[in-house]
Amino acid sequence: MTITPSTATALSDAVASDSALRGFLHGLPGVDQVGAEQRAAALGTRSIKTTAKAWALDLAVSMVDLTTLEGNDTPGKVRTLAAKAMRPDPTDPGCPATAAVCVYGDLVGVAKETLGTSGVKVASVATAFPAGRVPLEVKLADVRDAVAAGADEIDMVIDRGAFLAGRYLEVYEEIVATKAACGQGDRRAHLKVILETGELQTYDNVRRASWLGMLAGGDFIKTSTGKVQPAATMPVTLVMLEAVRDFRETTGTQIGVKPAGGIRTAKDAIKYLVMVNEVAGEDWLHPDWFRFGASTLLNDLLMQRQKLATGHYSGPDYVTLD
Amino acid sequence: MKFEYAPAPESRAIVDIASSYGLFVDGAFTSGSGSSFKTINPATEEVLAEVAEADAADVDRAVKAARRAYTRVWSRMSGAERGKYLFRIARIIAERSRELAVLESIDNGKPIKESRDVDIPTAAAHFFYYAGWADKLEYALPGNGHSGADPQPLGVAAQVIPWNFPFLMLAWKIAPALATGNTVVLKPAETTPLTALLFAEICQQADLPPGVVNIVTGAGETGRALVEHPDVDKVAFTGSTDVGRAIARSVAGSRKKVTLELGGKAANIVFDDAPVDQAVEGIVNGIFFNQGHVCCAGSRLLVQESVAEEVVERLKRRMATLRVGDPLDKNTDVGAINSAEQLQRIRELAEIGDAEGAERWTEPCELPDHGFWFAPTIFTGVSQAHRIAREEIFGPVLSILTFRTPQEAVAKANNTPYGLSAGIWSDKGSRILWVANQLRAGVVWANTFNRFDPASPFGGYQESGYGREGGRHGLEGYIK
């Protein structure tokens, strides 16, 4: 597909009514489950060694949204995490910083204060994360609050209930409203749309929800909250990468992808990067376009970096626990 | 390119290649009475070993050994005991799988990821599968045979296999033959004899009684001597349709039972409601798997006209990520063409495609300086009248045709002298079933391609041969 005025019109027509939107989303090509899983597994067998591995590990570190989303989060915990994000490996000044720190809205101020002008972004989950089961006005207030506290990025959850009930336009309008609440112009926070693919279950749903999120203006589409199992998987991320690739081909607009939850090892992270490279393309190999939502992943990346540099494993006592 | 994958070569150290090999007859390696030939690594043209070329006298010796083993040992042994040997062989194959995979890739040119993940594990699975049948034959084929008695073996099987899946084809041939109580003389292809000779070593390691498996190496003449040997009861051949025809002629009127698995020109049919990303994977897997050296390759893409442009665009984008090169690199997707002769044939047919007016597109990639290489290529604007739509190219070359309706797709798919395999891509179950029933092909894949399982029968219609290998059906070819 190429970008023509007619495709642009077709896409704006698609969101003109509930039935038009349903027609558009159900008209997207289906995803064959067996084939998608086979392809994801095949990409996972690439062997990334030596120089390629070193490059990929650094890239992966720079793509981490270092996350803590717990009821017992404290200002102290968030400060520690922010310090780690800015300087993941205190023994190696060459180690890149992570992309962002991801926290609940009430701790955005603390994170912002610690990160200062380091360039590490503050991402805040909002819209009554993770369930999203509150009235829209409350969700939007949640978003405005986080943005006012200085959040650079908002990770919203879609209304899975509405999606599964087939009320696509409602989901769409909620994303549009959330985006508006992210602010205007240079101060606008980037919007990541969490699909919660573990609840959508089928790959057809993942593809439809991806397009819905992109049509509504999301800057990123994100797999999961991390609170539902399964969280990010290779095949789900594959389908989302195909969606952003096709969306750019159709509209010219590039959208980012963020798998979150369940990615714990450097080996897994590298498999994801291979998939990004071969499915969406190398334009997505940048923290502006691909992120890992993770907490324990970072330390494994750091251990693997040290192993590559020194030739031996140092063990978990040689990376910081935060 | 941002993300350069560093070379990730599989080590050759695991396999010892001798400088010369004899024939495996009566449980021992013996030198042939004839001459010898060289087998080379098609990726580098490096000579790997000198291999004995069996003449008629050598073949006779092998058939006699097989007959002796059949009469004295193997046909008298209980199925349960035969099964034990087959299980043992299967386990040794699994244990030595890396060694076999590396050797296969060196001798054949196929990527290590294919020999490692497909050829060798599937071969082991085949032995495991038929090992399980060895003591249950009366249940596999109830009421079989003219006498109504329990299934009886045929005797000595002459088996001639091709170079595209050397070890896997050996497994397809030997496992059912041994499970049913036959003994075999097998001739591997002249360009890829090494894994068959390693299999001979595995037979020794498994303490298989001498003469049950004999391996004779050589080219066409050796194969002819074997197939035409008067004391052979069964001929099983996988290879070209021309040779298959010659074999059918030579055994006509004899008591020999024959199964032939020959060429193909499979249609891979993509409907407008296909899961398009997976269909593109299936097209790639259908034609570029094993460099297209696959008799059941999806070498004719029939794509519905309304989505043809989009499918071809997506296919090209996907092809640009195929990694062509060193077969031993774990990231290689497409390896070397097996021989200079085959490369010549692929080039000729591709040039005919140009001359006939089809439009060629080749993946932009660098090819190594030495060895035999052909970059993945597609032809668009192909019609049924073009030779590249009718003849088997047996290389990484895809001919793309379009159709308008399911009826037209079926008519075009069936308009071939072959009939080995076909693929259907559609999200509509009823359409898949209808089309599958109309297709004259031995194997029809729905929303997948090139999937092999020991439990699934495989074989062709028309010029693609007769008889089935795999599954319970695979036992029938070795039973009275």
Side-chain angles (χ1 to χ4, degrees), chain A residues 29-32 36 38-39 46-52 55 207 242 245-246 249 274 277-278 282, chain B residues 1-6 8 274-278 281 313-314 317-318 321 323 330-331 333 427 447 451:
Chain A
V31 183
D32 184 77
Q38 223 180 340
R39 168 79 167 133
R46 290 284 192 222
S47 178
I48 304 302
K49 301 287 181 209
T50 61
T51 51
W55 185 85
R207 174 167 286 178
E242 288 166 353
R245 175 198 68 195
D246 293 348
E249 198 121 299
V274 164
N277 188 40
E278 299 197 28
E282 63 175 24
Chain B
M1 204 186 296
K2 275 189 190 171
F3 196 176
E4 288 278 7
Y5 302 167
V276 66
D277 289 303
Q278 288 73 47
E281 285 309 307
E313 248 177 70
R314 284 170 182 260
R317 182 176 58 202
R318 173 68 178 88
T321 68
R323 304 171 65 86
K330 291 176 224 166
N331 291 324
D333 298 314
D427 246 7
N447 291 334
R451 295 268 276 198

Side-chain angles (χ1 to χ4, degrees), chain B residues 18 60 63 146 151 173 230 238 241 259 268-269 271 274 305 330 333 335-336 358 363 366 372 379 389 391-392 479:
Chain B
D60 185 54
V63 172
H146 309 293
K173 293 282 182 284
T238 297
T241 295
T259 45
N268 201 0
I269 308 171
F271 287 100
E305 207 171 314
K330 291 176 224 166
D333 298 314
E363 181 201 349
E366 271 178 44
F372 315 126
F379 278 99
E391 291 180 30
E392 185 176 39
I479 277 175

Side-chain angles (χ1 to χ4, degrees), chain B residues 168-374:
Chain B
L168 182 56
M169 289 302 107
L170 172 148
W172 280 29
K173 293 282 182 284
I174 292 182
L178 263 45
T180 44
N182 300 274
T183 57
V184 306
V185 180
L186 176 124
K187 187 195 88 68
E190 66 269 31
T191 59
T192 55
L194 295 185
T195 46
L197 294 164
L198 183 53
F199 180 76
E201 218 177 273
I202 289 173
C203 291
Q204 289 179 324
Q205 196 183 341
D207 277 329
L208 190 71
V212 173
V213 168
N214 305 275
I215 311 274
V216 292
T217 43
E221 276 310 304
T222 309
R224 185 201 307 272
L226 176 57
V227 165
E228 294 182 356
H229 193 288
D231 199 31
V232 156
D233 302 291
K234 156 80 184 185
V235 174
F237 172 76
T238 297
S240 72
T241 295
D242 285 345
V243 175
R245 243 189 228 113
I247 289 175
R249 264 197 301 272
S250 79
V251 299
S254 77
R255 68 190 153 81
K256 294 174 190 172
K257 196 164 174 174
V258 184
T259 45
L260 300 173
E261 202 267 272
L262 309 175
K265 191 73 187 177
N268 201 0
I269 308 171
V270 178
F271 287 100
D272 60 2
D273 65 346
V276 66
D277 289 303
Q278 288 73 47
V280 167
E281 285 309 307
I283 295 165
V284 167
N285 180 36
I287 187 63
F288 302 122
F289 174 69
N290 203 35
Q291 297 73 248
H293 300 329
V294 185
C295 42
C296 54
S299 51
R300 269 190 306 154
L301 176 64
L302 293 174
V303 55
Q304 196 153 4
E305 207 171 314
S306 54
V307 292
E309 203 178 318
E310 187 190 342
V311 168
V312 171
E313 248 177 70
R314 284 170 182 260
L315 175 61
K316 286 178 180 173
R317 182 176 58 202
R318 173 68 178 88
M319 283 171 67
T321 68
L322 287 174
R323 304 171 65 86
V324 185
D326 180 6
L328 284 183
D329 191 311
K330 291 176 224 166
N331 291 324
T332 292
D333 298 314
V334 178
I337 300 302
N338 181 253
S339 64
E341 190 190 350
Q342 186 58 28
L343 179 59
Q344 187 51 34
R345 177 170 167 77
I346 297 167
R347 282 184 178 151
E348 268 171 34
L349 274 162
E351 277 158 23
I352 288 168
D354 294 332
E356 287 178 330
E359 193 181 327
R360 187 201 293 228
W361 185 86
T362 295
E363 181 201 349
C365 64
E366 271 178 44
L367 299 177
D369 301 331
H370 295 285
F372 315 126
W373 303 93
F374 197 92

Side-chain angles (χ1 to χ4, degrees), chain B residues 438-455:
Chain B
Q438 306 298 311
L439 290 173
R440 284 199 311 267
V443 183
V444 179
W445 284 292
N447 291 334
T448 189
F449 211 95
N450 275 343
R451 295 268 276 198
F452 306 100
D453 189 288

